[in-house]
Amino acid sequence: MNITIKSKIEELEKMRQAIQNFANMHGINTNEAYQITLAIDEICTNIIEHGFKNIPHYDIEIAMYVENRQFIIEIHDESAPFDMRDFKKLDIKKHISNYNVGGLGIFIVTSIMDEINYQPIDELHQYNKLTLVKNII
């Protein structure tokens, strides 16, 4: 299943609904579907806010498929390159004790997803492909 959303926060509901519908079609339990939706919501929010700086006319393409008991999501965008695997691991206890607001998106995604692969598509790094995998029960 493929879906394209614009780089607007308002478009995230369309994406959430598509993921939930796809998960339901494939018999994925409610808890796993919610976790996957949360992770993809965090990624797309970061792309919109940080990659596209809230400029609303860009596309974010999302492909979803199930293969070998894995829910696989590929996200393609033309925002500034960012490899979340290079992000320093968050010390969650310190983060909370310092009363920090925000900054938990990557922590949430890496806690939920079983595999995360990033690759810029061309030499100029003008197209990003992020693949996320969730092993499903």
Side-chain angles (χ1 to χ4, degrees):
M1 175 182 213
N2 297 317
I3 181 172
T4 300
I5 63 171
K6 290 293 184 188
S7 55
K8 302 189 304 189
I9 295 296
E10 300 80 28
E11 291 275 294
L12 293 175
E13 181 56 35
K14 176 179 161 184
M15 177 268 315
R16 289 183 207 109
Q17 193 60 51
I19 294 170
Q20 291 293 312
N21 290 341
F22 184 79
N24 288 338
M25 284 179 6
H26 289 276
I28 295 168
N29 75 50
T30 305
N31 186 50
E32 287 178 325
Y34 174 77
Q35 289 179 9
I36 293 165
T37 303
L38 176 61
I40 304 312
D41 188 89
E42 289 292 338
I43 293 292
C44 290
T45 298
N46 282 347
I47 291 170
I48 292 167
E49 292 180 350
H50 302 294
F52 290 128
K53 308 289 187 210
N54 291 309
I55 299 171
H57 63 270
Y58 295 101
D59 288 336
I60 301 171
E61 299 169 8
I62 303 162
M64 297 171 269
Y65 54 100
V66 173
E67 185 175 277
N68 299 323
R69 299 304 300 159
Q70 293 182 315
F71 191 118
I72 303 166
I73 304 100
E74 294 178 356
I75 302 172
H76 298 226
D77 69 83
E78 295 178 0
S79 70
F82 177 73
D83 188 347
M84 66 185 285
R85 297 171 308 170
D86 293 336
F87 194 74
K88 186 178 88 177
K89 187 169 179 165
L90 181 67
D91 180 342
I92 191 70
K93 289 180 182 178
K94 183 177 179 182
H95 185 82
I96 292 170
S97 68
N98 289 338
Y99 301 103
N100 292 331
V101 176
L104 294 174
I106 292 173
F107 175 80
I108 290 168
V109 173
T110 57
S111 296
I112 291 172
M113 303 308 290
D114 295 304
E115 294 177 39
I116 300 169
N117 297 298
Y118 168 79
Q119 69 182 99
I121 298 302
D122 64 24
E123 307 86 43
L124 300 176
H125 305 292
Q126 294 183 345
Y127 199 78
N128 302 299
K129 177 182 175 184
L130 182 66
T131 304
L132 303 129
V133 177
K134 176 72 173 169
N135 297 325
I136 51 179
I137 300 170

